[in-house]
Amino acid sequence: MKKPDRILILAIITLGILLRFSDITLPELATDEVQAALGVSPAWTPLGMGILRFAQSIFGHEIIVIRGVSILFGLAMLPLVYSLSREYVDQETSLIITAVAAAFPSHIIFSRLAYLSIQLSFAWTLTLLCFLKARKTNDRKWIIALFFASFAATMIKTQGLLLPFLLIIGTIIEKRKGTVKDTAFWTLVFSLIPVSFYIITHPGIAATLLLYGGNMYGVSGPLSRLTALVSVWWNILGLFLVAIIITLPALRKFSWPLWVLIVIGSSIGYILGAGHEYYTTHLVLFSLPIGAALALWRPALRQICLVALLAMSIVIVGPHNLLKTSWRHHLYQEEGFWNRHAQEINEVLKDQEVVTVLGDAGHHIRWYLEPEVLVGKNLSAPYPTDFAVLLGISEAGKVSGTVEYVAGGVAVVRQGYLTN
Amino acid sequence: MKIKLLTSLLAASLLLSVPSIVRIPRFMPFIKADVRAAAPKAMDELRSMGLWLVNVDMKSIERKGDDICFTWIHQYRSRSEVYESEDITTCIAS
């Protein structure tokens, strides 16, 4: 690799690493981030949440701590992508691929947020790498690594079972009767046993699938799903989406296990809801065909393309006070409401042990409010607490009393009824 | 094929499944259709108390006369505190 290429790739990787540290505490915590941070969910397996709880037990219950876990997984993904690439292509191409992954906007964004998708993306990629190594070498250490990587993926989030399950199916299709003697096959099968028992004994998982199945989850309304998905991808990836489309033929260089992971990463947003932006984390695996294609281009063209991709990344996910355009990701336009106002609201509620929250109360409310929170939408007035927090102007008619605080559509009302 | 290694991995997978396997007895009553029908209603009762269902785990199910009674463990979690757990029982007429 010539010096200009090396310098450019090093610069992109360095900037990609630095971007993962930028604006960590700017967005307020989202409901899914808090659900993960608080360590309980009816629909998720426990490891991803447990990792966040462990970090908090050591470093404290702060936004920087829980999002710091994601930064670590996001950074660890880069050498992993390099290692995975080396299973297919030479060192130079692998470095180009790693540079693309480092600059990949959706992976940068979700390296800064506490969604479990960043942990899952890492675990899936590790599982894939171990699968390829185990099949190639039949080495004991890779077989053991495959088992634990696959188990970890299933335990980070329930949907983590998708990759091992589809690798099992793929092996059966590939090897047919020879599957029975395939060590990697049985390793993956055994790795799915714990999550199978977990699903059976945690009915919340099936209940969540039933609750959202047919509308949010599923394939109904295919055109609207596809439109929504493409719109999300365009807004979060920009030129990277163009690069994905142009370099799709380069997927031929790679084997079916990588295709499986890329298909999972691409379709999971379609099936489970494009509105869940965090599924775009998994699109970082497209850095492999993008990088493989770029490696074959003339150096000048490749360099222009890499600079353009890096520029796109900076525009979408660069430091929020650096360059404000309409491309800037919506979470990084301004500081989150609750980050700005939680302290003031808690000052009003400081003598309260319990409050009622009216409106669409996401789990983030339990993080930001210090008193215990009752879900008011399932209650009727008068509410069993002295204070009610209203999330949105539409809740105004549901409680009578004195408004003690109001900001940005959130109001704190001291109820006018007797509560004891 | 590495039989010994696979046997060890199978044992490991069963060991890792133990925390889930020990929960099976508490869910055995769900075999009955009336228990399955009563469970959502019992959860609606929890919602009507203003509770976050993520903070609730099922402890036991028993029949008391014509009622199916679900006992839940409720433990509220906030940013810096995990509250003491409490048992809550909701009974649904079968």
Side-chain angles (χ1 to χ4, degrees):
Chain A
M1 183 181 279
K2 296 217 167 103
K3 201 171 177 186
D5 265 323
R6 260 188 280 130
I7 291 172
L8 178 59
I9 282 165
L10 187 61
I12 293 173
I13 292 174
T14 304
L15 279 167
I17 289 171
L18 291 174
L19 283 172
R20 281 162 172 80
F21 288 94
S22 171
D23 293 332
I24 302 299
T25 56
L26 190 76
E28 66 189 32
L29 286 175
T31 183
D32 278 8
E33 291 183 275
V34 171
Q35 198 175 178
L38 296 183
V40 276
S41 164
W44 297 341
T45 41
L47 179 59
M49 297 185 286
I51 291 171
L52 293 180
R53 295 299 292 174
F54 177 71
Q56 290 173 79
S57 70
I58 298 173
F59 298 108
H61 305 282
E62 303 294 339
I63 294 176
I64 189 76
V65 171
I66 57 174
R67 287 177 172 166
V69 172
S70 294
I71 295 173
L72 291 178
F73 276 97
L75 293 175
M77 186 68 163
L78 299 181
L80 190 55
V81 165
Y82 176 83
S83 301
L84 179 63
S85 306
R86 289 293 283 124
E87 292 300 302
Y88 293 103
V89 295
D90 60 28
Q91 188 182 49
E92 288 183 8
T93 307
S94 296
L95 283 171
I96 296 170
I97 288 169
T98 307
V100 175
F104 212 88
S106 60
H107 197 264
I108 292 172
I109 290 169
F110 292 101
S111 296
R112 302 178 189 168
L113 300 171
Y115 291 91
L116 298 181
S117 60
I118 197 72
Q119 295 185 35
L120 182 57
S121 197
F122 177 84
W124 270 346
T125 308
L126 182 62
T127 301
L128 180 61
L129 177 65
C130 294
F131 180 72
L132 295 173
K133 292 279 200 188
R135 277 159 55 105
K136 187 166 79 176
T137 65
N138 208 30
D139 191 308
R140 178 187 181 86
K141 71 171 184 285
W142 285 113
I143 294 165
I144 295 172
L146 173 62
F147 174 82
F148 283 107
S150 176
F151 166 74
T154 67
M155 282 293 149
I156 282 172
K157 227 179 162 190
T158 316
Q159 65 205 215
L161 63 84
L162 285 173
L163 178 64
F165 178 74
L166 290 176
L167 289 178
I168 287 169
I169 301 295
T171 304
I172 292 171
I173 294 170
E174 182 190 42
K175 298 201 169 183
R176 299 176 197 261
K177 287 179 188 170
T179 305
V180 175
K181 293 185 181 172
D182 189 289
T183 305
F185 168 81
W186 287 108
T187 304
L188 287 172
V189 169
F190 296 158
S191 75
L192 289 179
I193 292 174
V195 71
S196 302
F197 277 113
Y198 191 91
I199 291 170
I200 291 167
T201 56
H202 290 79
I205 294 172
T208 303
L209 278 174
L210 287 170
L211 180 66
Y212 292 118
N215 38 56
M216 188 191 297
Y217 297 170
V219 294
S220 60
L223 188 59
S224 63
R225 280 180 184 269
L226 188 63
T227 311
L229 191 69
V230 171
S231 175
V232 165
W233 286 15
W234 175 245
N235 286 329
I236 207 169
L237 297 178
L239 285 178
F240 281 81
L241 180 57
V242 175
I244 287 172
I245 294 167
I246 291 172
T247 61
L248 274 177
L251 275 171
R252 285 192 300 251
K253 277 188 181 301
F254 303 95
S255 57
W256 69 264
L258 178 66
W259 300 345
V260 166
L261 183 50
I262 285 181
V263 166
I264 291 173
S266 308
S267 57
I268 198 167
Y270 178 87
I271 294 170
L272 298 183
H276 302 303
E277 268 191 330
Y278 50 83
Y279 292 131
T280 60
T281 312
H282 307 306
L283 299 178
V284 69
L285 270 299
F286 277 108
S287 58
L288 275 89
I290 292 173
L294 288 178
L296 298 176
W297 292 7
R298 290 184 186 187
L301 186 57
R302 175 171 60 247
Q303 286 156 17
I304 290 169
C305 188
L306 284 171
V307 169
L309 289 176
L310 177 65
M312 186 84 246
S313 228
I314 291 171
V315 164
I316 295 174
V317 299
H320 83 286
N321 52 6
L322 180 65
L323 181 70
K324 291 190 181 178
T325 69
S326 58
W327 272 104
R328 174 60 48 83
H329 189 270
H330 63 91
L331 286 177
Y332 298 96
Q333 305 258 350
E334 58 179 32
E335 190 177 9
F337 171 86
W338 284 97
N339 290 347
R340 283 180 282 133
H341 295 284
Q343 193 171 354
E344 295 162 358
I345 294 172
N346 282 319
E347 183 58 32
V348 174
L349 300 173
K350 66 174 184 280
D351 297 322
Q352 304 303 306
E353 289 187 3
V354 191
V355 297
T356 303
V357 171
L358 300 174
D360 195 13
H363 294 287
H364 62 295
I365 299 301
R366 288 190 288 138
W367 177 277
Y368 284 107
L369 292 184
E370 287 172 3
E372 180 179 345
V373 175
L374 296 181
V375 182
K377 70 177 180 187
N378 302 313
L379 304 174
S380 312
Y383 302 102
T385 57
D386 289 339
F387 280 81
V389 178
L390 281 56
L391 305 176
I393 198 77
S394 57
E395 308 302 319
K398 294 181 184 173
V399 65
S400 176
T402 312
V403 176
E404 300 280 345
Y405 178 93
V406 65
V410 173
V412 179
V413 176
R414 183 193 299 269
Q415 285 198 93
Y417 309 104
L418 291 174
T419 55
N420 56 6
Chain B
M1 197 161 85
K2 295 178 184 293
I3 301 289
K4 262 191 182 175
L5 177 58
L6 285 175
T7 307
S8 301
L9 292 179
L10 177 59
S13 71
L14 292 172
L15 194 63
L16 291 166
S17 303
V18 165
S20 297
I21 290 172
V22 297
R23 289 170 58 93
I24 289 177
R26 78 172 83 167
F27 290 96
M28 290 305 290
F30 275 93
I31 292 173
K32 303 269 184 181
D34 57 349
V35 172
R36 292 197 302 274
K41 295 175 190 171
M43 294 180 77
D44 282 341
E45 284 219 13
L46 295 173
R47 286 195 187 94
S48 70
M49 299 176 196
L51 301 181
W52 297 79
L53 294 190
V54 288
N55 290 322
V56 170
D57 192 13
M58 203 189 70
K59 186 176 179 181
S60 65
I61 303 171
E62 54 182 348
R63 291 183 187 270
K64 290 182 179 172
D66 289 335
D67 290 350
I68 300 171
C69 292
F70 297 82
T71 300
W72 312 89
I73 306 169
H74 172 248
Q75 188 170 42
Y76 186 83
R77 292 169 185 237
S78 67
R79 168 184 167 177
S80 53
E81 203 173 343
V82 178
Y83 288 36
E84 275 194 39
S85 63
E86 54 175 343
D87 287 0
I88 299 173
T89 301
T90 56
C91 294
I92 307 295
S94 60

